[in-house]
Amino acid sequence: MARSEEAGVTGDGRGPAGPLGGGLLVAGTTSDAGKSVVTAGICRWLARKGVKVAPFKAQNMSLNSFVTREGAEIGRAQAMQAAAARVEPSALMNPVLLKPGSDRSSQVVLMGKPVGELSARGYFGDGAQARYTGREQLLGTVTDCLAELRRTHDAVICEGAGSPAEINLRRTDIVNMGIARAARLPVVVVGDIDRGGVFASFFGTTALLSEADQRFIAGYLVNKFRGDVSLLEPGLDMLRGLTGRPTVGVLPYAHGLGIDEEDGLRVSLRGAVRESVVAPPHGADVLRVAVAAVPLMSNFTDVDALAAEPGVVVRFVDRAEELADADLVVLPGTRGTVRALAWLRERGLADAVARRAREGRPVLGICGGFQMLGELIEDDVESKAGTVAGLGPVSYTH
């Protein structure tokens, strides 16, 4: 009986403790191609058919996280996908979470608990910094988690990250083709046709993979299509002729899904981009909320609940004058408190916030934003800047 050294599964699909359920990896040609939504959609479709299904993402990078009932921190997308699958979210569904603290370093959260702050080179490399995150250790952790989910569920729908064709990172990959090969998962590649170039993206993604990785690509899924599907058919036929793989579906562009963003703050700094329909205000009163769009903002969807209220207008702002008509100013959480504070000062927002507070007008600080409202910030961890003057002392609403 053949046994894969990487997979921890036997040739007949059994794990160390019994048979494994089915699985699929949803990869993408790019970030934001729609992998999270597609994964959630498959989970809900299977759940409606009575299939016991769970989501999984080996490694996630996000400042917008979710805390499980057991106190484990995981990617927000996996919590949303668990809701779609009608199961309780757990750390098994996202064993590795990276929370960027700067352009070159991230906090590493392993099985829901922080284990260290590493540079990108330390995380992806083989140096002493990688003591928490050596590839063999992480690959073993994520394959164990995936195997546990597959033993307890009929199917596990896995989400990749970015693109599987990041060839500079393939040697240390544990979230795309690394996990697909280790767990013997078929891969569907999602492409965002709204960006253009989807056929080139599908072909190029496949062509850049090694022959061993290409064997796991089962087909393609066109996402965010607008118009007449019949116009796509010649291209889909040509793509199959070039790659030998079918396009398994074409999904229409869906507006107003209302799903939390994860990888970035997708708002205009001149006002939040909201596609969902919001009820009109009751009467003529409107509450204006201005959120400072600080660098490395964490859990920026905290204000979505406010934005969904009738008569509440939420704007992400980066200029002092945009605070003038605000009924409430919010300083949000951030993974770089000292950096965000410097950003506020550079743009004149710090003086405007302090002036509002002296006038008794509401200012709300959340997490790192609340720290900024203090007199002194002692930071020997994130920025290693030591003691830095905050925006206080003034009397704040918090």
Side-chain angles (χ1 to χ4, degrees), residues 150-206:
R150 293 177 74 185
R151 278 192 293 269
T152 54
H153 294 78
D154 301 322
V156 178
I157 309 303
C158 307
E159 179 186 347
S163 163
E166 306 290 356
I167 55 178
N168 56 313
L169 301 177
R170 176 61 185 92
R171 183 175 59 85
T172 55
D173 171 48
I174 61 170
V175 65
N176 290 306
M177 302 313 297
I179 191 68
R181 284 179 62 177
R184 305 298 186 196
L185 298 173
V187 179
V188 172
V189 181
V190 178
D192 178 0
I193 197 170
D194 197 54
R195 296 183 178 187
V198 73
F199 294 116
S201 297
F202 284 143
F203 181 81
T205 296
T206 307

Side-chain angles (χ1 to χ4, degrees), residues 24 26 35-57 77-87 93 153 155-159:
L24 170 72
V26 178
K35 299 184 293 292
S36 296
V37 173
V38 169
T39 300
I42 296 173
C43 285
R44 175 50 62 94
W45 173 66
L46 290 173
R48 285 175 174 169
K49 289 183 170 293
V51 176
K52 188 178 182 183
V53 60
F56 177 79
K57 187 167 185 175
Q78 281 61 67
M80 175 271 292
Q81 292 159 359
R86 297 173 177 158
V87 295
M93 298 172 183
H153 294 78
V156 178
I157 309 303
C158 307
E159 179 186 347

Side-chain angles (χ1 to χ4, degrees), residues 35-366:
K35 299 184 293 292
S36 296
V37 173
V38 169
T39 300
I42 296 173
C43 285
R44 175 50 62 94
W45 173 66
L46 290 173
R48 285 175 174 169
K49 289 183 170 293
V51 176
K52 188 178 182 183
V53 60
F56 177 79
K57 187 167 185 175
Q59 173 189 293
N60 207 340
M61 178 175 282
S62 177
L63 286 172
N64 200 21
S65 59
F66 177 89
V67 179
T68 69
R69 194 183 299 275
E70 292 77 23
E73 196 171 4
I74 65 173
R76 208 165 185 90
Q78 281 61 67
M80 175 271 292
Q81 292 159 359
R86 297 173 177 158
V87 295
E88 185 73 24
S90 78
L92 290 172
M93 298 172 183
N94 179 207
V96 181
L97 174 64
L98 305 178
K99 302 182 70 177
S102 71
D103 294 336
R104 295 190 177 187
S105 68
S106 293
Q107 181 186 52
V108 181
V109 179
L110 185 63
M111 294 303 296
K113 304 299 179 185
V115 296
E117 192 91 14
L118 293 178
S119 68
R121 182 176 293 277
Y123 181 78
F124 291 108
D126 299 318
Q129 264 197 314
R131 61 190 180 278
Y132 295 115
T133 54
R135 179 184 184 274
E136 294 305 318
Q137 176 188 345
L138 285 184
L139 184 60
T141 298
V142 300
T143 53
D144 286 349
C145 289
L146 177 55
E148 177 63 22
L149 288 173
R150 293 177 74 185
R151 278 192 293 269
T152 54
H153 294 78
D154 301 322
V156 178
I157 309 303
C158 307
E159 179 186 347
S163 163
E166 306 290 356
I167 55 178
N168 56 313
L169 301 177
R170 176 61 185 92
R171 183 175 59 85
T172 55
D173 171 48
I174 61 170
V175 65
N176 290 306
M177 302 313 297
I179 191 68
R181 284 179 62 177
R184 305 298 186 196
L185 298 173
V187 179
V188 172
V189 181
V190 178
D192 178 0
I193 197 170
D194 197 54
R195 296 183 178 187
V198 73
F199 294 116
S201 297
F202 284 143
F203 181 81
T205 296
T206 307
L208 281 173
L209 300 179
S210 68
E211 289 186 12
D213 283 349
Q214 286 180 8
R215 286 198 288 268
F216 290 87
I217 303 297
Y220 309 109
L221 180 65
V222 177
N223 194 26
K224 305 180 187 179
F225 179 72
R226 310 170 194 247
D228 185 347
V229 176
S230 65
L231 298 176
L232 275 183
E233 290 174 357
L236 302 180
D237 291 341
M238 290 177 66
L239 182 65
R240 182 161 193 164
L242 288 167
T243 67
R245 294 168 176 83
T247 297
V248 297
V250 177
L251 298 179
Y253 195 107
H255 295 273
L257 292 177
I259 293 173
D260 285 352
E261 291 297 335
E262 187 174 53
D263 295 327
L265 177 59
R266 295 188 61 203
V267 297
S268 161
L269 293 182
R270 298 295 168 261
V273 176
R274 307 264 174 211
E275 292 186 337
S276 55
V277 177
V278 178
H282 300 296
D285 290 338
V286 174
L287 179 70
R288 296 173 176 83
V289 179
V291 183
V294 298
L296 297 172
M297 189 186 306
S298 58
N299 286 33
F300 52 85
T301 52
D302 284 348
V303 296
D304 280 0
L306 285 174
E309 286 291 321
V312 178
V313 176
V314 176
R315 297 172 297 176
F316 289 84
V317 304
D318 67 342
R319 298 186 299 177
E321 56 267 33
E322 293 175 302
L323 306 187
D325 65 344
D327 299 298
L328 171 66
V329 170
V330 178
L331 299 184
T334 172
R335 278 279 294 142
T337 302
V338 170
R339 176 179 170 183
L341 186 56
W343 182 88
L344 290 175
R345 288 184 167 127
E346 289 166 1
R347 294 173 173 266
L349 283 161
D351 289 339
V353 169
R355 185 167 55 250
R356 284 182 59 91
R358 286 194 297 271
E359 294 169 355
R361 302 172 67 190
V363 176
L364 173 68
I366 303 174

Side-chain angles (χ1 to χ4, degrees), residues 356-389:
R356 284 182 59 91
R358 286 194 297 271
E359 294 169 355
R361 302 172 67 190
V363 176
L364 173 68
I366 303 174
C367 197
F370 181 59
Q371 294 173 354
M372 287 185 263
L373 298 179
E375 295 183 36
L376 295 174
I377 298 171
E378 295 183 1
D379 184 6
D380 296 317
V381 178
E382 287 179 351
S383 68
K384 298 181 174 57
T387 301
V388 177

